[in-house]
């Protein structure tokens, strides 16, 4: 079993990439979807791909930003390269997305808003039946280490949800 390791230091690059993930989440909301966004960077920190949530517009319950990004990443890059990449996301990956990230072989995850914080924002809204299952728990059930950094206190990651879940 993996220990789903944690990295404790937020670099300037990490912060900048989280800001971009939140901008993608804002675009997702503007496009009529839930306010979640994700991006993939290569080992040099260069942004390779971005993905918005498409649950509403695509009528696909699996259209979370991270799962959409995994689909794009897996089609574009081989597993060896993905192990050197980081997935940045505006909100902690849910259990489904964490599983997809793990199976794709992505090497690291950095997120802003924690799943517990999201639940506090959405409450019992049927549009977001949040599970109390941290991504680290999902990753720890696997056979490889997957470092995680988050939650990162980023007010913009909360702000993008303002008024959405009412």
């Amino acid at each position: 079993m993996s220990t789903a390791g944690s990295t404790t230091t937020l670099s300037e690059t990490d912060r900048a990439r989280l800001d971009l993930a939140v901008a993608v989440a804002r675009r997702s909301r503007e496009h009529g979807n839930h306010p979640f966004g994700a991006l993939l960077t290569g080992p040099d920190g260069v942004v390779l791909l971005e993905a918005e949530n498409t649950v509403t517009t695509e009528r696909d319950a699996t259209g979370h930003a991270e799962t959409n990004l995994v689909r794009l990443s897996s089609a574009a890059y081989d597993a060896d390269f993905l192990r050197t990449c980081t997935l940045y996301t505006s909100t902690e990956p849910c259990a489904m997305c964490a599983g997809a990230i793990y199976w794709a072989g992505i090497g690291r995850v950095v997120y802003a808003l924690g799943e517990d914080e999201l639940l506090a924002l959405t409450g019992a809204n049927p549009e977001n039946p949040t599970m109390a299952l941290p991504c680290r728990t999902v990753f720890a059930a696997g056979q490889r280490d997957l470092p995680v950094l988050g939650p990162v206190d980023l007010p913009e990651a909360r702000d993008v949800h303002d008024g959405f879940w009412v």
Side-chain angles (χ1 to χ4, degrees):
M1 283 194 159
S2 165
T3 57
S6 296
T7 54
T8 57
T9 306
L10 182 73
S11 71
E12 288 183 32
T13 299
D14 289 335
R15 172 61 192 241
R17 299 304 176 259
L18 282 178
D19 287 340
L20 284 174
V22 171
V24 175
R26 194 168 309 286
R27 280 199 321 262
S28 178
R29 182 176 178 168
E30 290 167 0
H31 294 146
N33 288 293
H34 299 162
F36 301 103
L39 56 94
L40 185 77
T41 64
D44 55 3
V46 172
V47 177
L48 302 172
L49 296 167
E50 297 179 353
E52 299 175 12
N53 178 290
T54 57
V55 167
T56 303
T57 57
E58 298 293 324
R59 297 179 51 102
D60 178 2
T62 67
H64 293 193
E66 300 89 346
T67 304
N68 288 338
L69 187 66
V70 165
R71 286 185 191 109
L72 293 170
S73 310
S74 296
Y77 304 105
D78 66 33
D80 287 337
F81 181 71
L82 288 175
R83 279 191 279 284
T84 69
C85 295
T86 299
L87 185 147
Y88 291 89
T89 181
S90 60
T91 306
E92 181 175 5
C94 71
M96 174 186 70
C97 292
I101 292 164
Y102 175 83
W103 285 108
I106 292 170
R108 179 174 175 249
V109 172
V110 181
Y111 68 89
L113 190 68
E115 189 79 4
D116 57 339
E117 296 174 276
L118 178 64
L119 179 58
L121 293 172
T122 63
N125 189 306
E127 290 281 320
N128 191 55
T130 300
M131 294 179 164
L133 185 60
C135 68
R136 283 179 176 87
T137 302
V138 175
F139 297 146
Q143 297 178 15
R144 69 177 176 92
D145 188 45
L146 205 163
V148 177
L149 176 57
V152 174
D153 186 19
L154 196 64
E156 297 86 351
R158 284 185 296 281
D159 294 348
V160 74
H161 292 274
D162 281 350
F164 186 84
W165 304 103
V166 292

